[in-house]
Amino acid sequence: MTSAPAILVQQVSHRYGDRLALEGVCLDVARGTIFGLLGPNGGGKTTLFRLLATLLPIQRGSTRLEGVDVAADPVSVRRLIGVTFQSPSLDGKLTVRENLACHGRLYGFSGAALRRRITETTEPLEVVDRLGDLVETLSGGLKRRVEIAKSLLHRPRILLLDEPSTGLDPGIRHELWRILRSLVAPGEMTILVTTHLLEEAERCDCLAILDRGRIVVSGRPDELRRQVGGDCITITTATPEALGRELQEAFQVPVQAVGGELRIEQPEGHELVREIMRRFGPQVQSITLGRPTLEDVFIHHTGRRLSDEAETRPPADRH
């Protein structure tokens, strides 16, 4: 018998005035997994995150966390979840212990029980030896660990992380994800992560690509990559429109124009690369061949690059 999902989102839509931020979103997140929401700024990730965190009202559709309806019983949902926001929420003038103690008291902990919770939470995150340090003296990676420790004090069953690696260098990011993986290893906690970083998305057990308020595709990262039709060939040329037509006519393959470049999905792509260079070499400035990535998955389903979309989205639209 299959257990009920930790997070169930059914036909959720949300508007900010005239702008539709989410449209008919459906999600099914299995317990004891790390689930990623991948997409550009303005794609709808943060809006969905805020709905799950009970910070926005459910306008249309339904959302359940561990079987509890978010709209009907938000108070019970808040007992089930821990939340780490993208923006810092620590007081730099207090010590790590003082920050955690203030948060723990909001959940009714005090005395020996609170001290025990602080120790139990900070040990797996490897910041127990920094409890007496002022937060403002910590590195970005250590601050992020303290943020997560704070959200785990009440032992939530679901941890919501909004862009957890923002501002961290690759080495610290890798270490943070090692710790997150250890939290779900016993199968007792579910983690949902929003991200625009492809490296982060690759580390998730399952993910959904969210673009312009809709989920365009979801599944395991390796399954999504296999949906792309073979190898990915990218061509830079001074005449993309003309060369694109010539390539389609010559090889009878679909050619996408993406960000001023040409893109072709083709099994055994190295053979096509050889033929392209043999017949159209003078028109080619550069040509690359690679296995499909999650960026290629995004392009395959949207016709745009994830990075291009993130750069061109106006700041006012970043929900």
Side-chain angles (χ1 to χ4, degrees):
M1 181 177 177
T2 304
S3 62
I7 301 173
L8 182 62
V9 178
Q10 296 178 304
Q11 297 296 329
V12 166
S13 297
H14 193 87
R15 285 185 176 274
Y16 296 99
D18 294 333
R19 191 177 70 81
L20 187 61
L22 295 173
E23 183 176 3
V25 170
C26 296
L27 281 181
D28 186 329
V29 179
R31 287 195 178 97
T33 62
I34 299 179
F35 189 96
L37 293 175
L38 173 67
N41 291 326
K45 303 187 309 295
T46 300
T47 295
L48 182 55
F49 183 92
R50 290 171 177 168
L51 290 170
L52 294 174
T54 74
L55 298 177
L56 290 174
I58 304 294
Q59 295 177 348
R60 187 172 182 180
S62 66
T63 304
R64 291 181 175 272
L65 276 66
E66 291 291 351
V68 181
D69 189 293
V70 174
D73 194 357
V75 174
S76 294
V77 169
R78 289 168 194 150
R79 296 191 183 102
L80 291 170
I81 63 174
V83 184
T84 299
F85 297 100
Q86 182 176 357
S87 301
S89 63
L90 301 172
D91 190 326
K93 299 300 182 183
L94 299 180
T95 66
V96 171
R97 179 182 285 105
E98 288 167 340
N99 270 276
L100 296 176
C102 288
H103 189 73
R105 290 190 182 99
L106 295 176
Y107 282 91
F109 297 112
S110 62
L114 177 57
R115 291 192 294 273
R116 184 169 59 252
R117 286 291 179 100
I118 290 174
T119 300
E120 291 172 352
T121 303
T122 53
E123 279 183 342
L125 289 163
E126 301 174 9
V127 288
V128 67
D129 60 336
R130 311 303 290 268
L131 288 173
D133 294 359
L134 290 175
V135 165
E136 65 183 4
T137 68
L138 302 180
S139 67
L142 288 174
K143 288 177 182 176
R144 207 62 177 147
R145 292 188 198 183
V146 176
E147 294 268 12
I148 294 173
K150 189 175 76 167
S151 66
L152 294 175
L153 270 177
H154 61 295
R155 296 174 183 165
R157 295 171 65 179
I158 296 173
L159 179 61
L160 305 176
L161 302 176
D162 192 12
E163 302 280 358
S165 296
T166 296
L168 303 184
D169 65 44
I172 297 174
R173 190 182 305 156
H174 176 81
E175 182 63 16
L176 176 61
W177 273 84
R178 181 190 66 78
I179 291 170
L180 293 180
R181 178 58 61 186
S182 71
L183 293 175
V184 299
E188 297 178 357
M189 183 183 295
T190 303
I191 298 178
L192 183 138
V193 177
T194 73
T195 184
H196 65 278
L197 300 175
L198 298 170
E199 174 197 346
E200 247 179 19
E202 289 281 5
R203 297 177 182 273
C204 297
D205 298 309
C206 193
L207 61 95
I209 295 179
L210 194 61
D211 180 51
R212 297 181 178 178
R214 297 182 179 183
I215 292 180
V216 295
V217 67
S218 63
R220 296 179 61 87
D222 57 339
E223 294 172 345
L224 297 181
R225 289 193 301 272
R226 283 198 295 269
Q227 292 178 13
V228 177
D231 299 324
C232 295
I233 302 168
T234 304
I235 302 168
T236 303
T237 176
T239 56
E241 187 175 340
L243 181 58
R245 286 196 303 268
E246 293 180 62
L247 291 172
Q248 287 188 152
E249 293 172 2
F251 302 113
Q252 299 299 301
V253 294
V255 179
Q256 284 181 296
V258 182
E261 298 177 327
L262 300 177
R263 182 177 176 278
I264 302 172
E265 297 173 7
Q266 178 74 9
E268 304 299 329
H270 63 283
E271 297 178 357
L272 183 58
V273 167
R274 182 173 59 246
E275 287 300 307
I276 291 172
M277 293 307 297
R278 185 178 67 83
R279 298 175 61 174
F280 301 99
Q283 296 170 252
V284 175
Q285 294 175 335
S286 69
I287 186 167
T288 60
L289 173 69
R291 299 295 183 186
T293 65
L294 290 177
E295 173 86 348
D296 294 310
V297 175
F298 186 83
I299 294 171
H300 178 82
H301 287 279
T302 69
R304 305 182 311 283
R305 292 187 184 279
L306 179 64
S307 54
D308 292 343
E309 191 74 4
E311 291 170 2
T312 57
R313 181 73 63 177
D317 197 30
R318 295 188 176 181
H319 291 290

